[in-house]
Amino acid sequence: METTNSNAATLFTTNLQLLGFVPEKFNTGVFRKIVFDERMFTHANNNKAFEATSHFLFHKLDATRSATEFAKCWPLSDTDYWRQSREYRTIAYRWLDELRIKQCLPGRITLRKSYFEDCRGEKLYAIMLAFSTFVVQKVLDRRLANKDKQNSSIHAPIRILGTTSVTIARKEQIISNLEVIILQ
């Protein structure tokens, strides 16, 4: 039987794939040695894995705000990585905490600034799963709203937040359906 951590890790990486995350795009510069897999927050470079994946998610959520919020620390560079990394993780924590306060993140998510000092472990997987699930939902809502405008038809909103009861058997069907919607 899988642990909560491996379930969260699997679902998180699935959400990244659904949103079009391409690990090869990040295999340059400070991210060149990062392995983006289900164990990314257990490897030696877990801060960098967090920075790359969370920036991708923040950009998907709100590209304009992401560019503004992270303007002084993104893209991360080898020459000033430690300062930029600390600043990036501080801003990311604040934005995630804002989403938590607004109850945008599904589940009972606890955020502490200390979780973002080393970006590892089960709690970080839970945070990133909640965040990526929220982003998938927002992307789907935008796509459906655009289709509604184009088709002048009304679609029932798709809700995937809090889908911990989705069975593994349905996972592949859901992924296939969502990929069609997201990648159109």
Side-chain angles (χ1 to χ4, degrees), residues 74-107:
W74 193 270
L76 300 172
S77 67
D78 285 320
T79 57
D80 199 14
Y81 173 75
W82 297 110
R83 182 198 61 78
Q84 289 176 317
S85 175
R86 274 192 313 277
E87 185 174 348
Y88 176 86
R89 287 180 280 130
T90 297
I91 295 166
Y93 165 76
R94 279 193 225 125
W95 194 346
L96 287 167
D97 198 41
E98 175 187 317
L99 293 173
R100 181 194 58 80
I101 290 167
K102 291 179 179 177
Q103 298 181 341
C104 297
L105 302 178

Side-chain angles (χ1 to χ4, degrees), residues 14-87:
T14 299
N15 284 348
L16 287 176
Q17 291 168 356
L18 288 171
L19 291 164
F21 182 77
V22 179
E24 293 78 21
K25 180 179 176 184
F26 289 94
N27 283 340
T28 61
V30 297
F31 304 117
R32 66 186 160 273
K33 294 181 181 177
I34 307 303
V35 177
F36 296 102
D37 61 11
E38 291 180 9
R39 295 177 34 87
M40 72 180 86
F41 299 129
T42 61
H43 297 305
N45 292 317
N46 41 320
N47 283 1
K48 292 177 182 178
F50 168 77
E51 292 155 358
T53 57
S54 65
H55 188 270
F56 171 80
L57 293 169
F58 284 123
H59 182 79
K60 284 288 188 180
L61 179 61
D62 186 336
T64 304
R65 180 174 175 187
S66 178
T68 303
E69 293 280 345
F70 300 115
K72 293 182 180 178
C73 58
W74 193 270
L76 300 172
S77 67
D78 285 320
T79 57
D80 199 14
Y81 173 75
W82 297 110
R83 182 198 61 78
Q84 289 176 317
S85 175
R86 274 192 313 277
E87 185 174 348

